């Protein structure tokens, strides 16, 4: 096939990179690919158009064919004259009135004097350019950042202007690449005014079905993948333009942080118990409910509210809440057991809780004795149960009103939980506020003893 193309007496030309570029010391490759699949991850549009001829250039990995395709996508009409090999583009375009300057701009063609290569300028910054290219010699598509003064920073720029061109910036993606988080596309400035923008999100270069908004929430399918966005601008009478962002770093898998569920309501036959989920993170996870009696599942009790039945008399009731969502492993949290279910009329009410406090010195140190004070509970008399907690975890065996600080408490905060119990009343629990962190007790330094008087020999 190549022999046939070469025999067309100049009607087809190839942009052949005659010099293999050496790696510049500050050059940064953002994406590259030789195979179809690898190129798809970098630029899906080019991957599916690579084997077509654009502006009569050789198809496949070829710098002139790639740049011709990019310019066509920008709305630049194919010139009525031959541009020839890459080394001749600047001179031939200039002879036909196309500006060739030393100033880069988005959409310009970059080239070098005496070098048989052309590239496409994606983004312009004061000291660097984001450039995309393909190469006949290396058989590779590449997108890279070239810094001013480096070898792969073009020395001149060809400014083709299409009559039907839409101009648009290279989009960027903002947000944290974490499952469950929201990514947003920043399209930048497009012209002319009134350009209609549409979006396509890609996962490792493959279009994500249904992801066509300006924002995209990451799912479990995105974990470990790179996410990018393509923005297409359309305007009546003009050729559309598509610009693609750089891909994010690989998406991290998300986790759900549960809260400890609470049960409100009294466990009396005929009354209703309500599950209070607390604050889960992230807040948009889906919560489902399941009620249990003495640890056994109650079939059909899968709503937030549950009516207590006669069969449950004497059972302690708990509720388990499961948080789930796209991209997350489900997480389940269980409430503390309720008091045992009783018949209607067999109870008077619930113990009214006081406010427990911890009486201690401002600075708590190992070896100090701290005391819990229950506060005002009612109706009197109320019996109490006590549990001490260290950073939220129950301290084994610490069930007295007084607690002696140990080395295990250093750096930790203490809290006391008081349970009020009274016959024919449902028990109630309340916790104190946390203390300041416990300090390690250290010996205080004292001054070195001194000898006074005159040093004399004899008595």
């Amino acid at each position: 096939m190549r022999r046939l193309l070469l025999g067309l007496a100049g009607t087809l030309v190839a942009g052949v990179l005659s010099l293999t570029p050496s790696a510049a010391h500050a050059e940064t490759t953002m994406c590259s690919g030789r195979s179809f699949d690898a190129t798809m991850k970098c630029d899906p549009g080019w991957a599916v158009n690579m084997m077509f001829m654009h502006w009569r250039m050789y198809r496949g990995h070829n710098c002139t064919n790639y740049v011709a395709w990019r310019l066509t996508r920008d709305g630049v009409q194919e010139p009525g004259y031959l541009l020839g090999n890459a080394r001749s583009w600047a001179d031939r375009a200039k002879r036909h009135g196309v500006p060739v300057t030393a100033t880069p701009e988005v959409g310009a063609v970059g080239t070098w004097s005496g070098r048989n290569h052309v590239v496409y300028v994606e983004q312009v910054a004061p000291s660097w350019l984001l450039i995309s290219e393909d190469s006949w010699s290396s058989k590779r598509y590449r997108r890279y950042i070239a810094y001013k003064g480096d070898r792969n920073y073009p020395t001149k720029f060809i400014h083709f202007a299409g009559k039907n061109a839409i101009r648009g910036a290279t989009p960027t993606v903002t947000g944290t690449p974490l499952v469950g988080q929201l990514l947003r596309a920043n399209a930048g400035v497009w012209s002319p005014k009134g350009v209609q923008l549409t979006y396509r999100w890609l996962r490792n270069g493959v279009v994500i079905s249904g992801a066509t908004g300006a924002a995209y929430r990451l799912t479990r399918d995105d974990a470990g993948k790179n996410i990018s966005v393509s923005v297409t601008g359309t305007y009546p009478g003009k050729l559309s333009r598509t610009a693609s962002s750089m891909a994010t770093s690989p998406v991290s898998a998300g986790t759900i942080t549960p809260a400890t569920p609470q049960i409100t309501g009294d466990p009396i036959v005929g009354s209703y118990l309500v599950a209070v989920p607390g604050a889960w993170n992230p807040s948009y996870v889906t919560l489902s409910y399941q009620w249990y009696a003495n640890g056994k599942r109650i079939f059909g009790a899968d709503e937030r509210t549950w009516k207590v039945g006669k069969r449950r008399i004497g059972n302690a009731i708990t509720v388990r809440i499961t948080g789930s969502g796209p991209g997350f492993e489900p997480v389940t949290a269980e409430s503390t057991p309720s008091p045992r279910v009783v018949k209607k009329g067999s109870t008077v009410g619930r113990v009214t809780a006081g406010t427990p406090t911890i009486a201690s010195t401002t600075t708590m140190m190992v070896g100090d004795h701290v005391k819990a004070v229950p506060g005002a509970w009612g109706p009197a008399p109320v019996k109490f149960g006590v549990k001490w907690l260290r950073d939220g975890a129950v301290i084994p065996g610490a069930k007295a009103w007084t607690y002696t600080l140990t080395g295990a408490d250093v750096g930790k905060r203490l809290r006391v939980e008081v349970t009020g119990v009274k016959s024919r009343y449902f028990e109630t629990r309340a916790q104190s506020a946390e203390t300041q962190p416990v300090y390690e007790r250290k010996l205080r330094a004292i001054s070195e003893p001194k000898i006074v008087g005159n040093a004399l020999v004899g008595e």
Side-chain angles (χ1 to χ4, degrees), residues 268-395:
I268 303 173
V269 173
S271 64
Y272 287 88
L273 300 182
V274 179
V276 180
W280 289 58
N281 184 43
S283 59
Y284 51 80
V285 297
T286 301
L287 300 179
S288 58
Y289 301 83
Q290 180 59 57
W291 294 86
Y292 290 80
N294 283 355
K296 296 182 179 180
R297 179 182 176 186
I298 304 174
F299 291 96
D302 54 6
E303 302 290 338
R304 184 174 178 183
T305 301
W306 176 69
K307 186 177 181 178
V308 182
K310 292 181 180 179
R311 295 177 56 191
R312 306 305 169 188
I313 292 176
N315 293 166
I317 306 301
T318 56
V319 66
R320 295 178 188 176
I321 301 179
T322 299
S324 60
F328 294 96
E329 290 292 337
V331 174
T332 299
E334 185 172 16
S335 69
T336 56
S338 73
R340 297 188 181 278
V341 175
V342 296
K343 296 179 182 179
K344 189 175 183 178
S346 63
T347 59
V348 177
R350 181 177 292 275
V351 172
T352 301
T355 303
T357 56
I358 296 176
S360 65
T361 59
T362 303
T363 302
M364 299 172 55
M365 305 178 73
V366 172
D368 288 348
H369 303 288
V370 290
K371 184 178 181 180
V373 179
W377 294 62
V382 175
K383 295 181 179 180
F384 299 108
V386 180
K387 287 193 298 186
W388 290 86
L389 297 90
R390 178 191 298 127
D391 277 359
V394 174
I395 303 174

Side-chain angles (χ1 to χ4, degrees), residues 189-335:
V189 178
W190 289 63
S191 63
K193 186 177 180 180
V195 170
Q196 296 296 312
L197 300 180
T198 56
Y199 301 84
R200 289 189 309 170
W201 292 87
L202 301 94
R203 179 189 299 124
N204 276 6
V206 178
V207 173
I208 302 171
S209 177
T212 57
Y216 172 67
R217 191 170 299 281
L218 296 165
T219 72
R220 191 186 309 174
D221 292 336
D222 300 315
K225 308 296 195 311
N226 305 94
I227 305 299
S228 59
V229 67
S230 287
V231 181
T232 299
T234 57
Y235 192 87
K238 295 183 180 293
L239 296 176
S240 64
R241 166 182 167 81
T242 299
S244 301
S245 73
M246 302 304 301
T248 66
S249 56
V251 175
S252 299
T255 57
I256 295 175
T257 304
T260 301
Q262 303 292 329
I263 297 176
T264 60
D266 294 328
I268 303 173
V269 173
S271 64
Y272 287 88
L273 300 182
V274 179
V276 180
W280 289 58
N281 184 43
S283 59
Y284 51 80
V285 297
T286 301
L287 300 179
S288 58
Y289 301 83
Q290 180 59 57
W291 294 86
Y292 290 80
N294 283 355
K296 296 182 179 180
R297 179 182 176 186
I298 304 174
F299 291 96
D302 54 6
E303 302 290 338
R304 184 174 178 183
T305 301
W306 176 69
K307 186 177 181 178
V308 182
K310 292 181 180 179
R311 295 177 56 191
R312 306 305 169 188
I313 292 176
N315 293 166
I317 306 301
T318 56
V319 66
R320 295 178 188 176
I321 301 179
T322 299
S324 60
F328 294 96
E329 290 292 337
V331 174
T332 299
E334 185 172 16
S335 69

